[in-house]
């Protein structure tokens, strides 16, 4: 797993991926996104060599882009997708603790989070926190719904939950 | 009856446009039986289009009756289908037997009106919504050489806009 983080600037993805391609790497699943002016990359890379060798392959280009680079040896495999069956959206006035309250409630009600995206919007004086979660549960969706309803009431956030029912055709 | 092999992307034939069915004969009906068996054999398959098995004719089968708590018309054999009205939009998750191990969010009309022939050439019309309307639109895309991959929207697209449509929407 190759992780790169640094101040955002144009061309990061193209330069990094062409360096990897030219070094004979194969790219798998990846998440690349801009977070608060930084650009972040987490990417499965198939590479015939040690993590150190990969780090020194990417090092010069990462340095030139002022990106911090980190490599973890993982037991990753492609074609291991787990399909989410529930989606949750939560928003409310931003304050400390909102993420742990929501995710704690969901975990307790039996949700395993596969994907979470959150953002802060609103104005600087009145920020709002917006979260979108996809996950898997083996519980009835009503159980999650009830847990979120309690949270919404007690913590003054808006919550919505709905099943993800994949149409397979 | 026989199971047929499903074409899998990147097979270029999935991009081919299918031709209208002109003869409603026993050959057609026996093909439809095989197509239906192939659909039901696929894990969770609720629809199939003829080009997915390499026969480039405008034939679609949809049956979403196994899904709980939704409106549906049961087993639908749709030949030369045409959508005559689209109403509203909804984002939903789709997968495809021709695109294994991947699902994605797609925007479809929330409700449609549909004209099609059955396996004897009889004209029929339907009004449908939600999951069933999504399945029909997905399968009809196959007739135009389109996959749900051609219509992906970002995960961030609002997944909660459903039902925000008016019954008397614009006709297309
Ligand atoms: Zn399909």
């Amino acid at each position: 797993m190759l992780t790169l983080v640094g101040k955002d600037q144009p061309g990061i993805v193209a330069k990094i991926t062409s360096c990897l391609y030219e070094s004979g790497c194969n790219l798998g699943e990846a998440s690349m996104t801009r977070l608060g002016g930084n650009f972040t990359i987490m990417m499965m890379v198939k590479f015939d060599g040690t993590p150190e060798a990969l780090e020194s392959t990417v090092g010069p280009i990462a340095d030139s882009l002022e990106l911090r680079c980190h490599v973890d040896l993982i037991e990753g495999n492609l074609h291991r997708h787990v399909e989410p069956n529930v989606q949750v959206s939560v928003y409310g006035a931003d304050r400390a603790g909102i993420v742990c309250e929501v995710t704690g409630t969901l975990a307790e009600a039996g949700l395993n989070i596969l994907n979470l995206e959150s953002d802060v919007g609103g104005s600087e004086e009145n920020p709002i926190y917006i979260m979108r979660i996809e996950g898997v549960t083996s519980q009835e969706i009503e159980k999650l719904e009830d847990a979120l309803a309690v949270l919404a009431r007690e913590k003054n956030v808006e919550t919505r939950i709905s099943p993800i029912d994949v149409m397979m055709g | 009856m026989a199971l047929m092999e499903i074409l899998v992307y990147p097979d270029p034939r999935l991009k081919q446009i299918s031709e209208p069915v002109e003869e409603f004969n026993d050959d057609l009906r026996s093909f439809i039986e095989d197509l239906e068996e192939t659909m039901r054999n696929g894990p969770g398959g609720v629809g199939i289009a003829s080009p997915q098995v390499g026969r480039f004719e405008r034939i679609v089968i949809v049956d979403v009756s196994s899904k709980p708590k939704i409106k549906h018309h049961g087993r639908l054999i749709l030949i030369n289908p045409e959508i005559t009205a689209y109403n509203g939009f909804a984002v939903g998750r789709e997968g495809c037997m021709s695109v294994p191990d991947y699902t994605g969010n797609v925007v479809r009309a929330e409700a449609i009106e549909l004209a099609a022939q059955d396996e004897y050439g009889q004209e029929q019309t339907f009004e449908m919504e939600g999951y069933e309307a999504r399945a029909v639109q997905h399968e009809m895309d196959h007739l135009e050489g389109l996959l749900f991959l051609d219509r992906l929207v970002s995960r961030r697209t609002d997944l909660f806009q459903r039902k925000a449509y008016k019954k008397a929407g614009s006709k297309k």
Side-chain angles (χ1 to χ4, degrees), chain A residues 20-38:
Chain A
L20 291 169
Y21 173 67
E22 282 156 17
S23 318
C25 296
N26 236 319
L27 307 186
E29 295 167 24
S31 155
M32 308 190 194
T33 194
R34 189 183 145 101
L35 298 173
N38 299 281

Side-chain angles (χ1 to χ4, degrees), chain A residues 31-135:
Chain A
S31 155
M32 308 190 194
T33 194
R34 189 183 145 101
L35 298 173
N38 299 281
F39 199 74
T40 68
I41 298 177
M42 297 200 77
M43 181 156 54
M44 288 169 69
V45 176
K46 195 171 164 208
F47 177 71
D48 295 325
T50 62
E52 293 71 30
L54 179 58
E55 237 176 282
S56 53
T57 302
V58 188
I61 187 85
D63 285 347
S64 75
L65 293 162
E66 291 176 44
L67 297 170
R68 285 184 302 284
C69 169
H70 181 77
V71 179
D72 284 302
L73 189 62
I74 55 162
E75 271 296 302
N77 273 301
L78 297 175
H79 311 287
R80 292 282 168 84
H81 287 127
V82 175
E83 283 300 327
N85 59 10
V86 173
Q87 60 204 3
V88 177
S89 92
V90 178
Y91 68 89
D94 186 23
R95 58 175 172 74
I98 186 166
V99 180
C100 80
E101 287 159 10
V102 171
T103 54
T105 300
L106 291 170
E108 210 168 287
L111 185 78
N112 180 20
I113 294 175
L114 296 174
N115 182 43
L116 185 153
E117 283 174 345
S118 66
D119 225 325
V120 180
S123 62
E124 293 209 9
E125 308 80 66
N126 288 306
I128 55 171
Y129 202 82
I130 305 121
M131 228 184 312
R132 295 172 167 285
I133 297 170
E134 291 181 344

Side-chain angles (χ1 to χ4, degrees), chain B residues 12-172:
Chain B
R13 288 175 290 174
L14 288 165
K15 297 263 128 190
Q16 195 168 322
I17 295 175
S18 291
E19 298 294 327
V21 172
E22 272 157 19
E23 286 194 45
F24 294 81
N25 53 24
D26 287 344
D27 169 63
L28 175 72
R29 286 182 285 274
S30 103
F31 167 71
I32 287 171
E33 274 185 24
D34 290 347
L35 189 63
E36 183 172 355
E37 194 188 349
T38 305
M39 172 185 91
R40 295 194 189 282
N41 184 58
V46 296
I48 195 167
S50 173
Q52 285 181 279
V53 297
R55 179 156 159 163
F56 300 96
E57 291 188 274
R58 305 184 79 83
I59 304 165
V60 157
I61 305 177
V62 165
D63 184 352
V64 301
S65 60
S66 62
K67 298 281 166 181
K69 293 189 272 188
I70 56 165
K71 284 190 194 169
H72 63 79
H73 293 82
R75 171 183 174 273
L76 290 171
I77 308 293
L78 304 171
I79 298 177
N80 303 327
E82 299 284 345
I83 295 176
T84 53
Y86 297 84
N87 282 299
F89 296 98
V91 179
R93 183 80 59 137
E94 298 184 16
C96 182
M97 290 186 278
S98 298
V99 185
D101 195 42
Y102 185 76
T103 66
N105 290 330
V106 179
V107 178
R108 300 285 185 188
E110 167 67 24
I112 56 172
E113 290 171 32
L114 182 71
Q117 288 165 284
D118 69 9
E119 63 266 54
Y120 297 94
Q122 207 66 40
E123 291 283 351
Q124 311 163 283
T125 59
F126 302 93
E127 285 181 34
M128 55 181 66
E129 62 179 56
Y131 194 87
E132 185 177 49
R134 172 172 300 278
V136 167
Q137 292 171 79
H138 174 114
E139 300 314 334
M140 285 180 64
D141 267 356
H142 280 299
L143 306 180
E144 302 301 327
L146 289 170
L147 299 170
F148 78 102
L149 300 179
D150 294 302
R151 298 192 187 272
L152 288 178
V153 296
S154 133
R155 276 197 186 136
R156 281 180 181 250
T157 303
D158 193 343
L159 293 165
F160 300 99
Q161 292 172 347
R162 312 192 54 160
K163 310 272 151 129
Y165 68 94
K166 286 186 296 199
K167 205 73 196 162
S170 60
K171 303 250 169 178
K172 225 182 189 177

